[in-house]
Amino acid sequence: GENVEQHPSTLSVQEGDSAVIKCTYSDSASNYFPWYKQELGKRPQLIIDIRSNVGEKKDQRIAVTLNKTAKHFSLHITETQPEDSAVYFCAANRNSNTGKLIFGQGTTLQVKP
Amino acid sequence: DSGVTQTPKHLITATGQRVTLRCSPRSGDLSVYWYQQSLDQGLQFLIQYYNGEERAKGNILERFSAQQFPDLHSELNLSSLELGDSALYFCASSAHPSPTDTQYFGPGTRLTVL
């Protein structure tokens, strides 16, 4: 089957702390794992993605790690800021000739000033 | 701005009615995706088109249909609407249908069925 589990569903941190969101996927053929940030009433926006040929990718305060053996990947946000508050979605593709993405249920991140 | 446009922004209609949602992909993108986002279901993949042809299908109801036109814009048709169809409908586009191509989302259409 195709399934992406995301945890936690809500996360509250103090400004300046780190936040970690974890996802587990079921399809071992998946090879593309994007993360999207969605602010209230807005579109999902890609913040970082990773392909299965690398284990880690970093972009300023955001990093993603991938463990293909365990079939899980994580989003790490360091030095969190109030503007990081949003819903974060992980996703995994199906390794076929399509771009079908399976999304996790989302994590609501609240960064307290 | 990702360049994907969707119209209308909001749509309010009654049960049993039919509506059409429209999407224009980013310039140069050939593939279009439709997603449904409801409170209890998260983001659900509906259907994908590439250069006018259906490429992949998700959990799209038989009451729903879509197509991609020669100018690459796409329309999602929802008929015999039910209360449970109320949701945000997002269109996304990518350059190619590759499983690893980045998908850019449009602003969405909020459908309310009364």
Side-chain angles (χ1 to χ4, degrees):
Chain A
E2 49 188 47
N3 195 33
V4 176
E5 295 286 337
Q6 182 171 347
H7 299 281
S9 56
T10 60
L11 181 58
S12 182
V13 300
Q14 283 298 132
E15 182 177 358
D17 286 352
S18 294
V20 180
I21 303 170
K22 299 182 179 180
C23 288
T24 303
Y25 60 98
S26 59
D27 186 353
S28 56
S30 295
N31 64 351
Y32 175 62
F33 309 92
W35 285 89
Y36 286 85
K37 174 184 179 183
Q38 187 178 28
E39 296 174 0
L40 193 62
K42 301 283 182 65
R43 75 187 79 190
Q45 292 202 299
L46 181 77
I47 55 172
I48 196 166
D49 57 12
I50 191 167
R51 291 167 176 80
S52 61
N53 56 340
V54 297
E56 184 173 357
K57 184 176 177 181
K58 194 172 180 182
D59 182 4
Q60 299 182 338
R61 297 186 296 110
I62 294 173
V64 57
T65 58
L66 172 64
N67 183 328
K68 285 216 75 180
T69 304
K71 290 192 284 186
H72 67 71
F73 55 114
S74 300
L75 178 72
H76 305 254
I77 306 174
T78 59
E79 300 171 25
T80 54
Q81 301 166 3
E83 51 265 39
D84 294 329
S85 297
V87 180
Y88 291 81
F89 291 95
C90 64
N93 71 338
R94 298 296 309 281
N95 191 6
S96 59
N97 199 23
T98 77
K100 179 178 180 180
L101 289 177
I102 308 299
F103 282 84
Q105 288 297 96
T107 296
T108 301
L109 173 65
Q110 181 188 27
V111 180
K112 299 178 186 174
Chain B
D1 188 340
S2 70
V4 180
T5 60
Q6 288 185 249
T7 56
K9 276 189 176 179
H10 303 278
L11 202 46
I12 301 174
T13 188
T15 54
Q17 295 299 304
R18 172 190 168 94
V19 297
T20 297
L21 312 184
R22 183 188 168 104
C23 166
S24 291
R26 293 187 322 156
S27 177
D29 283 359
L30 300 179
S31 198
V32 167
Y33 311 79
W34 286 97
Y35 291 90
Q36 180 192 55
Q37 185 175 39
S38 53
L39 281 173
D40 58 344
Q41 292 291 322
L43 273 161
Q44 298 285 318
F45 169 81
L46 295 177
I47 199 163
Q48 176 196 5
Y49 281 84
Y50 173 66
N51 211 17
E53 298 204 352
E54 183 183 304
R55 197 67 174 221
K57 227 169 182 177
N59 297 326
I60 187 167
L61 300 171
E62 285 192 14
R63 300 183 286 109
F64 295 3
S65 65
Q67 58 183 129
Q68 186 179 27
F69 294 86
D71 67 353
L72 301 176
H73 91 271
S74 177
E75 292 180 357
L76 179 67
N77 300 296
L78 315 176
S79 61
S80 303
L81 285 168
E82 302 174 359
L83 295 177
D85 297 328
S86 296
L88 260 172
Y89 290 85
F90 286 104
C91 169
S93 74
S94 68
H96 305 291
S98 164
T100 60
D101 248 30
T102 299
Q103 294 181 28
Y104 296 93
F105 281 74
T109 292
R110 182 174 292 281
L111 174 66
T112 303
V113 183
L114 301 175

